[in-house]
Amino acid sequence: MKLVRKDLEKDNAGQVTLIPEEPEDMWHTYNLLQVGDSLRASTIRKVQTESATGSVGSNRIRTTLHLCACQLRVKGTNIQENEYVKMGAYHTIELEPNRQFTLAKKQWDSVVLERIEQACDPAWSADVAAVVMQEGLAHVCLVTPSMTLTRAKVEVNIPRKRKGNCSQHDRALERFYEQVVQAIQRHINFEVVKCVLVASPGFVREQFCDYMFQQAVKTDNKLLLENRSKFLQVHSSSGHKYALKEALCDPAVTSRLSDTKAAGEVRALDDFYKMLQHEPDRAFYGLKHVEKANEAMAIDTLLISDELFRHQDVATRARYVKLVDSVRENMGTVRIFSSLHVSGEQLGQLTGVAAILRFPVAELSDQEDESSSEED
């Protein structure tokens, strides 16, 4: 998704102009549109004309319509008259990749703004990272479905080993490894990335990973230690960027990367079910129960379906947004599930909102015995 223009007022009213570029951008667009929004985009319309002699003809012309959305499909009444379409006329606009549109809202909430940020920043769609390296050269990359982005290039001159004296070589190699570790921490968002490929010829990748995790233990680097399982070592012919292609074609890598985009959500849902089975006082679902757990600042991980943010009632939609903002303010993790993925469908069967708690809150279950399927 390309962000062309963003004009928001202090009260968060305003408009953004976007260009969808990938098929997935159309899913983001669908989630951005809500009843009551206004949308401006070009479209094709059949216009009838009458000549001076009274004969009637018709032509297909391209014009720009400004609609007030009244359904989640982009149908609505025209709110800006032009020479082809009258004010108040009912029309449909079909949005498609590479066609610009402008969306205006009376209130841009945090969830919607975050979706735009993620859709427009390639790093958010890159759930695979790669470090392609050889002695003295490394490229830290992010891999999206459509491109590979080089985030850092590390070059250090490594002296050759000399008979009886390897100290210069070892010191330079350690300095090289340390710079690569810093680049990984600076450029890889482990909240998004599900797998980090470390590719090299020879034993460079093994030596680097041994160094990185030894240093992580010494310095108590929780970021690297908690994400150790995400690192996957593979062979490449060199440390140049083009060698990444051969690493990605490795069958072991292909199977590991299958469906990485939703892997984090699948794991979170699995953790919730395990908690529900073994420690039910730490696993809540249903809006009212989850809200009460949030009031106790007990939520460690919030699981919520993106379908809930398309609710037609503004007050209900705002309630979900408030819950997300509050959990984040209390240092909790928020995972927004796609309702089109199987994990999102499963979450939908649990009312679309669930939470894994930091500590048991047994009294909430006693306060409300009714099913958590109530949301309104």
Side-chain angles (χ1 to χ4, degrees):
M1 187 89 79
K2 182 179 180 181
L3 178 63
V4 178
R5 188 180 177 87
K6 182 178 177 181
D7 297 308
L8 299 185
E9 305 295 335
K10 289 182 179 179
D11 60 354
N12 272 356
Q15 62 184 32
V16 296
T17 301
L18 301 162
I19 300 177
E21 296 178 317
E22 304 290 337
E24 190 170 344
D25 291 341
M26 302 311 297
W27 173 242
H28 288 301
T29 301
Y30 170 64
N31 280 281
L32 290 172
L33 284 166
Q34 295 165 342
V35 174
D37 294 347
S38 63
L39 180 89
R40 185 168 65 248
S42 65
T43 185
I44 302 294
R45 280 291 168 269
K46 188 176 181 180
V47 177
Q48 287 190 334
T49 56
E50 186 174 345
S51 66
T53 60
S55 62
V56 177
S58 65
N59 294 306
R60 293 178 63 80
I61 57 94
R62 179 171 291 280
T63 185
T64 297
L65 288 182
H66 196 171
L67 302 186
C68 178
C70 60
Q71 292 184 19
L72 289 179
R73 282 192 69 198
V74 194
K75 295 181 178 179
T77 53
N78 187 32
I79 58 175
Q80 187 172 319
E81 188 170 355
N82 63 38
E83 60 180 305
Y84 304 111
V85 182
K86 293 181 179 180
M87 189 79 161
Y90 192 83
H91 282 279
T92 302
I93 292 179
E94 292 185 3
L95 298 178
E96 59 187 33
N98 301 311
R99 182 181 294 178
Q100 178 176 303
F101 68 90
T102 299
L103 179 65
K105 291 178 178 287
K106 294 177 182 177
Q107 178 73 31
W108 288 86
D109 60 53
S110 60
V111 172
V112 176
L113 290 173
E114 182 182 52
R115 181 171 287 276
I116 288 181
E117 181 185 347
Q118 292 179 7
C120 296
D121 183 358
W124 279 99
S125 62
D127 52 8
V128 177
V131 182
V132 191
M133 64 193 309
Q134 62 190 49
E135 282 198 359
L137 174 66
H139 288 82
V140 178
C141 307
L142 297 177
V143 183
T144 77
S146 57
M147 67 184 82
T148 300
L149 308 168
T150 301
R151 283 300 189 228
K153 181 180 180 181
V154 179
E155 284 187 284
V156 173
N157 182 37
I158 310 290
R160 289 186 179 181
K161 287 183 178 181
R162 294 182 180 179
K163 217 177 231 188
N165 185 7
C166 300
S167 59
Q168 282 188 319
H169 173 275
D170 293 344
R171 281 199 300 268
L173 196 58
E174 187 172 318
R175 188 167 66 253
F176 168 62
Y177 286 161
E178 179 57 32
Q179 289 184 27
V180 177
V181 171
Q182 291 176 4
I184 288 172
Q185 294 181 102
R186 189 179 306 118
H187 297 288
I188 295 179
N189 182 352
F190 285 98
E191 290 185 12
V192 177
V193 167
K194 310 298 188 301
C195 181
V196 183
L197 303 178
V198 182
S200 79
F203 298 100
V204 177
R205 57 187 178 274
E206 289 96 333
Q207 293 167 356
F208 167 71
C209 287
D210 288 344
Y211 170 85
M212 176 169 58
F213 291 115
Q214 285 172 8
Q215 292 299 310
V217 171
K218 286 180 183 178
T219 59
D220 193 27
N221 188 323
K222 293 181 180 178
L223 178 69
L224 292 176
L225 293 175
E226 289 175 359
N227 291 282
R228 184 169 187 164
S229 61
K230 294 183 179 180
F231 286 82
L232 177 64
Q233 298 179 31
V234 293
H235 172 78
S236 68
S237 58
S238 75
H240 294 279
K241 182 181 174 181
Y242 65 79
L244 177 59
K245 183 178 179 181
E246 60 196 58
L248 290 171
C249 292
D250 188 310
V253 174
T254 305
S255 61
R256 171 75 180 268
L257 300 186
S258 61
D259 201 24
T260 55
K261 189 169 184 62
E265 283 71 23
V266 171
R267 263 196 311 274
L269 191 61
D270 186 49
D271 290 344
F272 172 80
Y273 280 121
K274 287 178 181 176
M275 191 70 74
L276 190 63
Q277 183 178 0
H278 300 293
E279 294 185 67
D281 289 340
R282 290 183 57 199
F284 282 30
Y285 62 93
L287 182 56
K288 288 186 178 179
H289 279 76
V290 172
E291 283 180 327
K292 287 185 177 294
N294 183 54
E295 288 172 10
M297 299 177 65
I299 295 180
D300 180 60
T301 304
L302 175 68
L303 292 66
I304 189 164
S305 170
D306 58 11
E307 193 171 29
L308 301 179
F309 302 112
R310 297 194 296 273
H311 203 288
Q312 294 193 18
D313 180 64
V314 175
T316 302
R317 197 164 64 233
R319 193 172 167 186
Y320 292 118
V321 173
K322 183 181 178 182
L323 175 62
V324 167
D325 290 343
S326 179
V327 170
R328 285 175 172 159
E329 286 171 8
N330 294 331
M331 306 304 291
T333 300
V334 176
R335 291 195 174 276
I336 299 178
F337 286 61
S338 169
S339 59
L340 291 186
H341 191 270
V342 62
S343 60
E345 292 177 0
Q346 288 179 323
L347 183 60
Q349 294 170 6
L350 293 172
T351 75
V353 57
I356 300 171
L357 309 189
R358 297 186 176 103
F359 48 84
V361 189
E363 61 269 21
L364 294 187
S365 300
D366 299 332
Q367 289 174 11
E368 295 185 20
D369 292 326
E370 73 263 20
S371 169
S372 299
S373 60
E374 77 332 72
E375 293 184 10
D376 298 317

